[in-house]
């Protein structure tokens, strides 16, 4: 809005740098790839997930197969896979390069919204509701989604849960829609351990978290929440701190974290490459030189038509592959039927030959009998 500037006194640009077109309905969620430059994921109410090259506006991968509204998604640390939650009560893991389902299993047995986070060790965490409609957290093994590794009850409130995961400290900050508190959990050795909670008197409609670069290590601030307070029509700033006597820099609270330098570019990801995020020290992240370069949209493709056309062609190709597979199956069935008819025809020929031989034998016997009678 007017009058708001950045630290250099520059007013923000309200014109879009890029426009991505391709979804048939409104978009419900966005997420940047953890290590590839300018790769953006989006899920839509058209029940699809798309991965975009945000610089060129081209669709890299499309994920389908959802039978109801998607509710959340998250990348693995290297971006090779993506977990999704859906109102069809299914938990799915997709290959981000092919768009195919790598694993599928039962999720929360409830039509309410559930959300998902991919943990640093590969385990999947979901936040949703149990079959008894109580709120809970769950851990799943990505290699076998048929069972639950761990379930932790949260409470019996009705609002959907917003999980915020810190992979550096293995901490989970959990807020609920309509709640007035934020709970903290430690995720360690396959367990979910409640630590503490922030309490207030004002209900929250939503929550946002400050990126690591903006935290104040001088007061041991490990997270900062921005709480949407609808009743008072404002945003509450909630610093989450670890109380300590020492004023020295706490290395254990600020381990190396993902920096701004991408590990791979969008083209390398499109070609099938994966990479873990490049880590830097917390102090380096906060330095003046640790800035994101951003990108300049490719002028010829700013409207996203090329990406939409590629997505349409990929969809058409997938449909053709399915049709070819159906034709092959049909031909295989027909070939089997023809073989059965051929065998049946051979059997009938054999029976006919036997009948002809029997008739000939009977006729021969009849002629011989008549000759004996005349004699």
């Amino acid at each position: 809005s007017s009058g708001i500037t950045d630290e250099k006194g520059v007013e923000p640009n309200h014109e879009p740098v890029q426009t991505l077109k391709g979804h048939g309905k409104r978009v419900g969620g966005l997420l940047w790839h953890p290590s590839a430059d300018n790769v953006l994921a989006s899920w839509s109410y058209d029940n699809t997930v798309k991965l975009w090259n945000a610089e060129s506006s081209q669709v890299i991968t499309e994920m389908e197969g959802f039978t109801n509204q998607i509710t959340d998604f998250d990348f693995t640390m290297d971006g090779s896979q993506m977990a999704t939650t859906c109102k069809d009560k299914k938990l799915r893991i997709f290959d981000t390069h092919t768009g195919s389902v790598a694993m599928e299993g039962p999720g929360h047995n409830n039509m309410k919204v559930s959300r998902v986070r991919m943990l640093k060790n590969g385990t999947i965490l979901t936040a949703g509701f149990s079959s008894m409609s109580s709120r809970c957290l769950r851990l799943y093994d990505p290699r076998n989604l048929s069972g639950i590794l761990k379930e932790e009850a949260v409470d019996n409130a009705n609002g959907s849960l917003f999980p915020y995961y810190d992979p550096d400290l293995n901490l989970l900050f959990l807020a609920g829609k309509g709640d007035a508190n934020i709970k903290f959990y430690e995720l360690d050795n396959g367990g979910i351990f409640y630590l503490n909670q922030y309490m207030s008197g004002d209900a929250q409609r939503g929550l946002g978290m400050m990126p690591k670069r903006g935290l104040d290590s001088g007061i041991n601030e490990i997270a900062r929440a921005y709480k949407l307070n609808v009743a008072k029509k404002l945003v509450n700033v909630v610093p989450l701190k670890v109380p300590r006597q020492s004023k020295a820099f706490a290395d254990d609270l600020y381990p190396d974290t993902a920096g701004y330098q991408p590990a791979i570019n969008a083209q390398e990801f499109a070609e099938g490459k994966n990479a873990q995020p490049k880590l830097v020290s917390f102090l380096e992240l906060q330095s003046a030189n640790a800035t994101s370069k951003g990108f300049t949209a490719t002028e010829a493709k700013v409207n996203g038509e090329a990406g939409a056309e590629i997505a349409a062609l990929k969809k058409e190709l997938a449909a053709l592959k399915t049709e070819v597979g159906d034709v092959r199956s049909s031909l295989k069935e027909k070939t089997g039927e023809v073989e059965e008819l051929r065998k049946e025809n051979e059997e009938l020929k054999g029976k006919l030959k036997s009948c002809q031989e029997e008739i000939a034998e009977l006729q021969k016997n009849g002629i011989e009998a008549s000759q004996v009678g005349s004699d």
Side-chain angles (χ1 to χ4, degrees):
S1 61
S2 178
I4 297 178
T5 63
D6 63 15
E7 67 274 11
K8 296 181 180 179
V10 178
E11 290 191 9
N13 178 16
H14 296 289
E15 295 299 320
V17 177
Q18 182 64 285
T19 302
L20 308 177
K21 295 182 180 180
H23 282 298
K25 294 183 179 179
R26 67 187 178 94
V27 172
L30 297 171
L31 183 65
W32 289 107
H33 189 287
S35 60
D37 195 22
N38 297 326
V39 174
L40 180 68
S42 62
W43 70 258
S44 166
Y45 289 89
D46 64 6
N47 294 346
T48 65
V49 172
K50 295 181 187 294
L51 302 186
W52 308 80
N53 179 336
E55 191 166 355
S56 67
S57 79
Q58 292 181 335
V59 175
I60 299 172
T61 313
E62 184 169 355
M63 304 171 198
E64 299 177 313
F66 303 96
T67 59
N68 207 323
Q69 177 193 320
I70 302 165
T71 58
D72 200 17
F73 57 8
D74 196 26
F75 285 104
T76 53
M77 293 297 290
D78 67 353
S80 62
Q81 292 183 324
M82 171 175 279
T84 65
T85 50
C86 181
K87 283 192 174 181
D88 62 9
K89 306 176 187 178
K90 295 288 187 181
L91 178 61
R92 297 177 176 87
I93 301 176
F94 286 87
D95 185 306
T96 56
H97 298 290
T98 65
S100 60
V101 178
M103 191 69 65
E104 180 178 306
H108 289 262
N109 189 26
N110 195 296
M111 286 293 289
K112 293 184 178 181
V113 171
S114 60
R115 293 186 168 87
V116 63
R117 293 294 175 266
M118 298 292 286
L119 306 186
K120 184 168 62 175
N121 64 0
T123 307
I124 299 174
L125 179 139
T126 61
F129 294 81
S130 69
S131 57
M132 302 300 292
S133 295
S134 59
R135 299 196 297 191
C136 63
L137 299 171
R138 288 179 178 176
L139 294 178
Y140 292 86
D141 184 342
R143 299 164 296 182
N144 181 11
L145 300 181
S146 60
I148 303 168
L149 295 178
K150 172 73 176 177
E151 180 169 304
E152 180 75 13
V154 176
D155 53 36
N156 294 314
N158 296 320
S160 60
L161 292 168
F162 303 107
Y164 296 89
Y165 172 58
D166 182 345
D168 304 328
L169 298 175
N170 276 327
L171 293 179
L172 181 73
F173 303 96
L174 190 67
K177 188 175 181 180
D179 295 356
N181 61 336
I182 303 171
K183 295 184 178 182
F184 324 138
Y185 295 84
E186 183 178 11
L187 307 171
D188 188 35
N189 293 326
I192 304 172
F193 304 97
Y194 172 76
L195 298 176
N196 208 334
Q197 64 178 324
Y198 159 82
M199 296 289 293
S200 75
D202 298 319
Q204 59 220 8
R205 181 69 179 273
L207 205 71
M209 301 296 281
M210 167 65 74
K212 279 291 181 82
R213 185 186 180 188
L215 301 181
D216 186 354
S217 59
I219 58 173
N220 294 330
E221 183 183 39
I222 59 171
R224 188 186 308 162
Y226 291 83
K227 176 175 147 179
L228 182 59
N229 187 331
V230 177
K232 294 183 179 179
K233 298 181 180 180
L234 51 80
V235 174
N236 298 122
V237 182
V238 183
L240 305 174
K241 301 174 286 185
V242 176
R244 287 189 177 175
Q245 295 291 337
S246 174
K247 299 298 182 182
F249 178 76
D251 297 86
D252 59 321
L253 298 181
Y254 304 99
D256 289 353
T257 187
Y260 284 116
Q261 186 67 30
I264 56 176
N265 59 40
Q267 183 59 38
E268 288 175 318
F269 172 75
E271 293 170 355
K273 191 173 182 180
N274 302 307
Q276 293 285 337
K278 288 186 175 181
L279 303 183
V280 298
S281 71
F282 178 80
L283 296 177
E284 182 181 344
L285 183 71
Q286 288 193 318
S287 69
N289 294 326
T291 57
S292 176
K293 69 179 181 62
F295 67 86
T296 302
T298 305
E299 184 177 354
K301 298 176 181 177
V302 69
N303 59 3
E305 291 177 1
E309 185 178 352
I310 289 172
L313 288 172
K314 281 186 176 180
K315 191 171 183 178
E316 185 178 348
L317 179 60
L320 287 172
K321 286 181 178 178
T322 302
E323 186 176 346
V324 168
D326 292 341
V327 170
R328 284 177 177 171
S329 299
S330 178
L331 285 174
K332 189 175 181 180
E333 291 176 3
K334 297 295 183 184
T335 302
E337 291 175 5
V338 169
E339 182 63 22
E340 288 179 5
L341 289 172
R342 188 190 66 77
K343 289 180 180 180
E344 186 177 347
N345 187 46
E346 290 297 326
E347 290 176 1
L348 290 173
K349 282 182 178 180
K351 290 179 180 180
L352 178 60
K353 185 177 180 181
S354 298
C355 289
Q356 288 174 339
E357 290 175 351
E358 187 176 348
I359 291 170
E361 185 66 26
L362 289 172
Q363 288 176 340
K364 180 180 179 181
N365 292 338
I367 293 171
E368 289 177 352
S370 63
Q371 288 175 348
V372 171
S374 62
D375 290 344

